[in-house]
C-alpha cells in the first residue's frame, strides 16, 4: 500500500451516496492543512477532523481531471503570508463543515518571509469518486487565488472560443456588407414613399415646380391671424362653453344669450311607462319647465305641466321628430316643447341629445330625460325621478357582470348597452357572494379612471362559511361607459353587478 494517499471519510462516502441517490450534488467548499503534531498521520475513514489543523480556507480549484474522468482535482494556494509550520496532512470539507476526504503528504515546511525565505505553495489532492456528476464543481472566484496554470488554461479556452466564432467581431462592418446595407436602405426609402412621390420630378410637381416655394408659403402664412391679439374678419365661430364655466375661453353669442336670458331646464320631473311589458308610450310631468328658443335666446317657464304622454310610434307633437320609424338604438331623448301661438306644451322624442327637430309652430324646447329604446317603437319599462332614470324590471335583466372572478378582470366591464352616452353617472346594484377558508374582511371595489368606490364590504367571521352582501353605488364611467372591479383575494365565489339606472343632467342635477 502507498505511504501517501487520499480517501473519502465515512461521512464523505455517505454524503456522496446520498447525493447520487437523490440526484443532488455534494458541495465541497474548503481545504484544511495540518502538521500531524510532528508525526506523519495515516488517513482513516473514521476521521472527523485532522490530527492538528493549522489552516483552513476556501478551495482555489475544484475540477474533473482531464486525464481521468473519474477523478476530482482539489487545489488550494498557500500564499506567502501564511506558514511557519510543517505540512503533513490535508482535509477537504463540505459547506456544512464536515470532513469528507482526508489525505497525507510528504512532510514539507511552509516558511514565512520573516524567517528569511518565503514562497507561494499549491496543495493538490486527487480523489477517485464513484460519480463526478454528484460533486458540484463550483468555487467562489472572489475569495480565492488562481494558479498560473489555471489562469493560462482559462485564457487559452477564451481565445479558442473567440476564434471559433464565425463572426467574432460583429460590431465591425465589412465593405461588402456596408455597400449592401446602404443599397438596401436607399431601396427601402424609395419603396416606403408614395408611388407618385418617389422621384425628384414628382416631388417638384407636388410643390408646383415653384422655385420660390418657401417664399410663397411664408406669404400665405402672413395672411393668417396671429395667435397674439388676432383680428378676425367675416363670421368666425366658437364652440358654446358649458354652463358655469368661469375660464377665459371665448364666449359665442349662444352662450351669452343663455347667460343673460336663462337656460332651459326641468325641475321636479317624474314619469314612467307600462311596467308589465315594453310599450310605445311614456308619461311624464314636471313642477316647472323652462324652455328656450334657440334662435332668439328667449325663455319661457311653465309650471305644473300635468301628465303628458309621448308616443314613439307617431310623428309630431307628443310623438317623434322624424317621419321614419326610429331605427334600433340604445336610447331616445325626450323633450318638453312649447307652441307660443297656441300656448300648448307637449313632448317630443328625438335621437338627438341636444338638437331636436321641432314640429311646425313649436319654437321652444327643454331637454327632459333619456330613455332606453329597443327598436320597433318599443321602450324599455323605466321610472324617472328628477335627473335619475331607473329600470323598472328585475335588475338581472340589466346585469353587466355575472359571477365575476375574485381576481381582477382582464378587461373592463361594458355598460354602454344600458347607460346612454349623455349620462353623468351610472347607478349600479352590486352583490358579492363569497366563502373563505379563513376569517377576513372582503371588499368589492368599483374602479373608474383611478377612482375607487366600495359598494360592498363584509367580514367572514367563521371559516368555510358562505356570505352574501349587496350595495348600490352612483359612479361616473369612462368615455366608453365602462368600469373595472376588484375583489379582495383569498375567497371563492364572485360578484354580480347590474345597472339599476343612470343620471342625466336636466336641471335637477
Amino acid at each position: 500500500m502507498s505511504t501517501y494517499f487520499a480517501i473519502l471519510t465515512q461521512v464523505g462516502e455517505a454524503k456522496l451516496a446520498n447525493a447520487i441517490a437523490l440526484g443532488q450534488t455534494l458541495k465541497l467548499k474548503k481545504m484544511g492543512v495540518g502538521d500531524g503534531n510532528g508525526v506523519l498521520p495515516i488517513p482513516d475513514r473514521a476521521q472527523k477532523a485532522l490530527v492538528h489543523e493549522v489552516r483552513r480556507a476556501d478551495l482555489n480549484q475544484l475540477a474533473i481531471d482531464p486525464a481521468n474522468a473519474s477523478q476530482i482535482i482539489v487545489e488550494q494556494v498557500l500564499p506567502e503570508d501564511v506558514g511557519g509550520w510543517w505540512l503533513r496532512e490535508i482535509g477537504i470539507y463540505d459547506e456544512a463543515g464536515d470532513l469528507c476526504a482526508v489525505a497525507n503528504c510528504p512532510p514539507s515546511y511552509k516558511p514565512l518571509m520573516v524567517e528569511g525565505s518565503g514562497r507561494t505553495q499549491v496543495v493538490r489532492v486527487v480523489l477517485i469518486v464513484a460519480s463526478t456528476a454528484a460533486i458540484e464543481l463550483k468555487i467562489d472566484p472572489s475569495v480565492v487565488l488562481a494558479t498560473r496554470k489555471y489562469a493560462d488554461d482559462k485564457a487559452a479556452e477564451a481565445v479558442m472560443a473567440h476564434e471559433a466564432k464565425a463572426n467574432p467581431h460583429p460590431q465591425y462592418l465589412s465593405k461588402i456588407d456596408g455597400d449592401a446595407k446602404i443599397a438596401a436602405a436607399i431601396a427601402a426609402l424609395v419603396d416606403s414613399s408614395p408611388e407618385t412621390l418617389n422621384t425628384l420630378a414628382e416631388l417638384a410637381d407636388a410643390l408646383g415646380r415653384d422655385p420660390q416655394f418657401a417664399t410663397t408659403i411664408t406669404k400665405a402664412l402672413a395672411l393668417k391671424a396671429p395667435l397674439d391679439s388676432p383680428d378676425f374678419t367675416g363670421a368666425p365661430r366658437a364652440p358654446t362653453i358649458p354652463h358655469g364655466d368661469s375660464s377665459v375661453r371665448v364666449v359665442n353669442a349662444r352662450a351669452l344669450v343663455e347667460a343673460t336670458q336663462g337656460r332651459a331646464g326641468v325641475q321636479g320631473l317624474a314619469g314612467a311607462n307600462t311596467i308589465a311589458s315594453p310599450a310605445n308610450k311614456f308619461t311624464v310631468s314636471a313642477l316647472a319647465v323652462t324652455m328656450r328658443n334657440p334662435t332668439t335666446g328667449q325663455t319661457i317657464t311653465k309650471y305644473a305641466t300635468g301628465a303628458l304622454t309621448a308616443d314613439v310610434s307617431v310623428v309630431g307633437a307628443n310623438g317623434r321628430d322624424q317621419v321614419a320609424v326610429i331605427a334600433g338604438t340604445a336610447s331616445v331623448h325626450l323633450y318638453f316643447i312649447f307652441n307660443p301661438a297656441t300656448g300648448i306644451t307637449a313632448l317630443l322624442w328625438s335621437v338627438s341629445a341636444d338638437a331636436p327637430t321641432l314640429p311646425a309652430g313649436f319654437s321652444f324646447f327643454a331637454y327632459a330625460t333619456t330613455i332606453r329604446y329597443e327598436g320597433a317603437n318599443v321602450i324599455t319599462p323605466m321610472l324617472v325621478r328628477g335627473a335619475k332614470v331607473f329600470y323598472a324590471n328585475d335588475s338581472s335583466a340589466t346585469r353587466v357582470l355575472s359571477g365575476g372572478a375574485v381576481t381582477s378582470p382582464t378587461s373592463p366591464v361594458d355598460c354602454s348597452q344600458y347607460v346612454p352616452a349623455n349620462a353623468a353617472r351610472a347607478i349600479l346594484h352590486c352583490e358579492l357572494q363569497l366563502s373563505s377558508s379563513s376569517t377576513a374582511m372582503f371588499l368589492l371595489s368599483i374602479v373608474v379612471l383611478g377612482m375607487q368606490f366600495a359598494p360592498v364590504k363584509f367580514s367572514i367571521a367563521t371559516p368555510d362559511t358562505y356570505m352574501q352582501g349587496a350595495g348600490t353605488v352612483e359612479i361616473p364611467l369612462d368615455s366608453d361607459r365602462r368600469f373595472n372591479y376588484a375583489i379582495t383575494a383569498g375567497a371563492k365565489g364572485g360578484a354580480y353587478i347590474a345597472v339599476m339606472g343612470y343620471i342625466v343632467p336636466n336641471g335637477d342635477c
Side-chain angles (χ1 to χ4, degrees):
M1 184 175 179
S2 299
T3 304
Y4 306 106
F5 60 94
I7 61 173
L8 291 173
T9 64
Q10 292 177 348
V11 173
E13 289 178 347
K15 288 196 172 188
L16 181 59
N18 186 62
I20 294 172
L22 298 179
Q24 299 175 348
T25 56
L26 176 60
K27 300 178 182 179
L28 301 180
K29 184 172 180 61
K30 295 182 179 290
M31 177 184 287
V33 295
D35 60 8
N37 277 332
V39 179
L40 180 67
I42 303 300
D44 187 348
R45 293 178 61 253
Q47 274 188 252
K48 295 186 177 179
L50 297 181
V51 176
H52 183 228
E53 185 174 307
V54 295
R55 182 179 186 270
R56 186 186 300 187
D58 287 343
L59 301 176
N60 292 83
Q61 182 176 356
L62 181 62
I64 298 175
D65 188 345
N68 190 332
S70 65
Q71 295 184 162
I72 298 291
I73 297 176
V74 188
E75 286 186 355
Q76 185 185 100
V77 178
L78 302 179
E80 291 183 356
D81 59 350
V82 301
W85 26 256
W86 285 85
L87 178 64
R88 297 185 178 89
E89 55 179 340
I90 306 167
I92 301 172
Y93 300 86
D94 66 1
E95 63 178 3
D98 293 327
L99 182 64
C100 295
V102 63
N104 61 2
C105 62
S108 172
Y109 185 73
K110 177 61 174 69
L112 286 172
M113 188 60 73
V114 295
E115 297 177 297
S117 175
R119 69 170 182 268
T120 299
Q121 185 172 338
V122 178
V123 179
R124 171 180 287 191
V125 175
V126 178
L127 294 175
I128 300 175
V129 295
S131 172
T132 56
I135 305 294
E136 182 167 332
L137 306 178
K138 182 179 179 182
I139 60 173
D140 185 352
S142 65
V143 298
V144 299
L145 299 174
T147 63
R148 174 62 180 270
K149 182 178 184 307
Y150 177 83
D152 290 345
D153 290 345
K154 289 297 182 182
E157 290 176 8
V159 171
M160 292 176 63
H162 177 74
E163 292 177 345
K165 294 180 178 179
N167 183 15
H169 301 287
Q171 69 271 33
Y172 301 125
L173 194 65
S174 67
K175 184 178 184 303
I176 295 176
D177 291 341
D179 292 343
K181 286 182 177 291
I182 293 173
I186 294 175
L189 178 62
V190 173
D191 186 58
S192 64
S193 303
E195 186 65 27
T196 56
L197 289 175
N198 59 6
T199 67
L200 292 177
E202 290 169 348
L203 288 172
D205 289 340
L207 298 178
R209 292 190 174 271
D210 183 0
Q212 305 298 325
F213 180 77
T215 302
T216 301
I217 293 300
T218 301
K219 290 180 178 179
L221 292 176
L223 299 176
K224 302 298 180 182
L227 292 177
D228 184 15
S229 303
D231 290 327
F232 296 117
T233 60
R237 301 180 62 179
T240 303
I241 65 174
H243 180 61
D245 189 336
S246 60
S247 68
V248 295
R249 294 169 61 187
V250 175
V251 177
N252 62 21
R254 174 179 293 181
L256 183 60
V257 168
E258 289 181 353
T260 57
Q261 301 185 23
R263 296 174 61 91
V266 179
Q267 287 78 43
L269 182 68
N273 61 347
T274 303
I275 298 177
S277 63
N280 59 334
K281 296 181 180 180
F282 201 89
T283 300
V284 297
S285 63
L287 297 179
V289 180
T290 299
M291 291 168 281
R292 179 176 170 275
N293 185 319
T295 302
T296 65
Q298 182 183 1
T299 61
I300 186 169
T301 300
K302 292 294 181 179
Y303 298 94
T305 64
L308 299 174
T309 299
D311 187 341
V312 76
S313 66
V314 301
V315 180
N318 291 320
R320 62 179 184 268
D321 69 346
Q322 64 182 52
V323 175
V325 174
I326 298 175
T329 181
S331 58
V332 289
H333 308 284
L334 187 61
Y335 294 86
F336 283 97
I337 59 176
F338 177 71
N339 186 326
T342 62
I344 294 176
T345 301
L347 300 176
L348 186 70
W349 291 111
S350 177
V351 296
S352 173
D354 55 12
T357 301
L358 300 181
F362 288 84
S363 55
F364 292 77
F365 73 88
Y367 169 82
T369 190
T370 299
I371 303 299
R372 188 171 184 269
Y373 179 71
E374 300 179 8
N377 294 327
V378 175
I379 302 170
T380 301
M382 308 197 79
L383 298 173
V384 175
R385 294 295 182 269
K388 296 184 178 182
V389 185
F390 298 93
Y391 286 95
N393 48 22
D394 182 80
S395 62
S396 62
T398 56
R399 183 166 289 166
V400 292
L401 180 67
S402 181
V406 171
T407 56
S408 297
T410 57
S411 60
V413 179
D414 185 3
C415 294
S416 60
Q417 182 180 359
Y418 303 108
V419 179
N422 66 327
R425 296 185 297 280
I427 306 173
L428 303 181
H429 174 77
C430 307
E431 187 174 340
L432 197 57
Q433 300 178 7
L434 297 177
S435 64
S436 174
S437 59
S438 61
T439 61
M441 176 73 72
F442 291 96
L443 181 72
L444 171 61
S445 301
I446 306 296
V447 183
V448 182
L449 301 176
M451 298 182 292
Q452 181 170 295
F453 305 85
V456 184
K457 179 179 180 181
F458 60 76
S459 298
I460 294 181
T462 305
D464 299 319
T465 58
Y466 176 86
M467 292 287 291
Q468 178 174 344
T472 302
V473 62
E474 295 181 6
I475 63 167
L477 300 174
D478 67 13
S479 58
D480 293 318
R481 287 168 282 168
R482 305 172 305 177
F483 65 85
N484 288 81
Y485 76 94
I487 305 173
T488 307
K492 297 179 181 179
Y496 300 82
I497 301 178
V499 177
M500 290 186 65
Y502 46 85
I503 300 173
V504 289
N506 64 0
D508 276 331
C509 283

